[in-house]
């Protein structure tokens, strides 16, 4: 290993292997034993000793009968050489797994309101059981994810990941489908739901950018239909609450028919909403998480990603 002092290009190049060799020679006080310790030949170790003698301007080890003894300079260097080698070993050893119970601090997640509501209870339970020193902060989708992840304002983004920088790491967690959420006794629950009946109802759309249209409007257009969006709200929780108190139709992401219940439908269940299959071919909704690569090996972030996986795939409690 060769180290260069970037702050001073004129400084001498430091070969860290020489420190390891010096420690072996001063510990073993034998070229042959030091060579065996470093898995090299006695001839190569003898050349290294010669190089160390030239650099330090001291013989270091001198012959005394059948053995070699250290010089006063060597004795003065012995403990320091051993310390340097231990520190080099610690510096270049992969980090040990972190015990979540020892973690302290705040972890920040950015998520849409429905995703945050689905995650919060599960994450708090896991934190209480495994990482009681960790606090969680949820932020709304108010920041551009790439810069926020890059500069550390957000540790993890969870949701529909579609706007990341090239270096951002992304992991898909679950694939969901959209269903219609209506109040009990809603007219759409009285007869089989057709594209025409679906389009004729009044709808509440969810868009933090205030958009009135989405994939469902493209699917309706294939049937020559259009829907009336009476109101656009920035979050799913407000849309579901409105649907529970009116004849508005809201959309909510749910698990596919062959999968277990998703925590993202828990709020619809709490509000007593009926979930209806949308009679249109809609694209699936992929929920994932995104983070900056500098956090990939961080112990606290590793625990957070594991906790999000478990919380988002858990069965709802209601």
């Amino acid at each position: 290993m060769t180290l260069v002092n970037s702050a001073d290009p004129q400084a001498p190049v430091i070969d860290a292997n020489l420190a390891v060799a010096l420690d072996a020679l001063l510990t073993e006080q034998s070229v042959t034993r030091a060579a065996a310790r470093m898995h090299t030949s006695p001839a190569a170790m003898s050349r290294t000793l010669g190089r160390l003698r030239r650099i330090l301007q001291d013989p270091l080890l001198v012959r005394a009968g059948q053995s070699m003894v250290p010089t006063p300079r060597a004795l003065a260097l012995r403990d320091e050489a051993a310390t340097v080698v231990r520190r080099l070993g610690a510096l270049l050893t992969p980090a040990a797994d972190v015990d979540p119970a020892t973690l302290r601090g705040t972890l920040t997640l950015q998520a849409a309101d429905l995703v945050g509501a689905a995650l919060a209870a599960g994450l708090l339970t896991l934190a209480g059981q495994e990482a009681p020193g960790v606090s969680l902060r949820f932020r709304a989708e108010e920041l551009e994810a790439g810069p926020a992840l890059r500069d550390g304002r957000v540790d993890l983004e969870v949701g529909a990941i579609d706007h990341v920088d090239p270096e951002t790491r992304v992991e898909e967690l679950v694939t969901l489908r959209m269903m219609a959420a209506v109040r009990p006794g809603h007219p759409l629950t009285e007869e089989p739901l057709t594209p025409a009946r679906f389009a004729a109802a009044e709808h509440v759309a969810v868009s933090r950018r205030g958009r009135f249209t989405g994939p469902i409007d493209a699917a309706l257009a294939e049937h020559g239909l259009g829907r009336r969006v009476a109101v656009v709200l920035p979050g799913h929780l407000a849309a579901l609450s409105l649907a529970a108190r009116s004849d508005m139709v809201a959309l909510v992401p749910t698990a596919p028919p062959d999968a277990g219940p998703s925590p993202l439908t828990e709020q619809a269940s709490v509000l007593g909403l009926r979930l209806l299959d949308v009679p249109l071919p809609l694209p699936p909704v992929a929920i994932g998480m995104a983070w900056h690569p500098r956090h990939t090996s961080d112990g606290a972030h590793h625990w957070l990603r594991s906790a999000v996986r478990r919380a988002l795939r858990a069965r709802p409690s209601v």
Side-chain angles (χ1 to χ4, degrees), residues 147-225:
L149 291 169
R150 189 185 311 120
D151 63 24
R153 286 175 291 166
V154 172
D155 295 305
L156 192 68
E157 182 184 16
V158 185
I161 310 297
D162 58 1
H163 49 267
V164 297
D165 291 336
E167 75 270 17
T168 302
R169 302 289 178 87
V170 178
E171 177 183 330
E172 186 173 310
L173 297 170
V174 292
T175 300
L176 306 173
R177 61 173 180 150
M178 300 303 290
M179 295 186 72
V182 298
R183 65 168 177 82
H186 190 284
L188 290 184
T189 65
E190 297 172 358
E191 298 177 21
L193 188 57
T194 64
R197 294 187 68 235
F198 178 81
E202 285 200 315
H203 294 257
V204 51
V206 176
S207 171
R208 64 188 178 95
R209 296 184 177 90
R211 295 172 179 166
F212 278 78
T213 59
I216 200 160
D217 298 283
L220 284 169
E222 293 290 326
H223 293 263
L225 299 169

Side-chain angles (χ1 to χ4, degrees), residues 2-9 11-14:
T2 300
L3 306 177
V4 179
N5 186 346
S6 59
D8 182 5
V13 174
I14 302 170

Side-chain angles (χ1 to χ4, degrees), residues 10-308:
Q10 302 303 317
V13 174
I14 302 170
D15 187 345
N17 288 320
L18 286 178
V20 179
L22 178 62
D23 176 53
L25 286 162
L26 298 185
T27 299
E28 301 294 341
Q29 296 182 28
S30 163
V31 170
T32 300
R33 290 196 298 272
R37 177 171 171 170
M38 293 195 63
H39 307 288
T40 188
S41 67
M45 184 55 69
S46 181
R47 289 193 294 270
T48 300
L49 175 58
R51 186 179 174 191
L52 285 166
R53 285 168 169 168
R54 290 191 297 273
I55 292 172
L56 298 174
Q57 298 181 11
D58 187 272
L60 298 174
L61 294 173
V62 295
R63 182 68 59 185
Q66 297 299 313
S67 61
M68 301 187 79
V69 295
T71 66
R73 178 75 191 281
L75 290 173
L77 290 174
R78 184 162 56 190
D79 289 344
E80 185 175 353
T83 299
V84 167
V85 170
R86 284 197 302 272
R87 289 178 177 173
L88 279 172
L91 178 66
L92 300 177
T93 299
D97 291 339
V98 172
D99 180 0
T102 67
L103 296 176
R104 300 291 183 273
T106 299
L107 296 170
T108 300
L109 300 91
Q110 177 164 291
D113 61 348
L114 189 65
V115 176
L119 278 175
L123 285 182
L124 283 172
T125 298
L126 289 171
Q129 295 170 347
E130 302 171 7
V134 168
S135 298
L136 300 169
R137 177 194 293 121
F138 280 86
R139 300 190 68 154
E141 295 178 305
E142 61 200 22
L143 304 172
E144 288 297 327
L149 291 169
R150 189 185 311 120
D151 63 24
R153 286 175 291 166
V154 172
D155 295 305
L156 192 68
E157 182 184 16
V158 185
I161 310 297
D162 58 1
H163 49 267
V164 297
D165 291 336
E167 75 270 17
T168 302
R169 302 289 178 87
V170 178
E171 177 183 330
E172 186 173 310
L173 297 170
V174 292
T175 300
L176 306 173
R177 61 173 180 150
M178 300 303 290
M179 295 186 72
V182 298
R183 65 168 177 82
H186 190 284
L188 290 184
T189 65
E190 297 172 358
E191 298 177 21
L193 188 57
T194 64
R197 294 187 68 235
F198 178 81
E202 285 200 315
H203 294 257
V204 51
V206 176
S207 171
R208 64 188 178 95
R209 296 184 177 90
R211 295 172 179 166
F212 278 78
T213 59
I216 200 160
D217 298 283
L220 284 169
E222 293 290 326
H223 293 263
L225 299 169
R227 62 173 178 158
R228 167 172 157 70
V229 176
V231 60
V232 178
L233 295 175
H236 281 89
L237 294 181
L240 293 175
S241 179
L242 178 59
R245 302 196 307 269
S246 69
D247 280 345
M248 293 285 180
V249 179
L251 294 176
V252 60
T254 67
D258 57 347
S262 167
L264 272 73
T265 61
E266 184 171 351
Q267 293 302 313
S269 299
V270 168
L271 291 168
L273 291 167
R274 291 277 307 276
L275 299 183
L276 307 176
D277 287 318
V278 177
L280 296 164
L282 299 178
V285 178
I287 301 296
M289 57 183 172
W291 67 94
H292 193 272
R294 74 174 182 276
H295 291 309
T296 297
S297 299
D298 177 70
H301 206 279
H302 187 273
W303 174 83
L304 176 62
R305 298 195 304 271
S306 170
V308 166

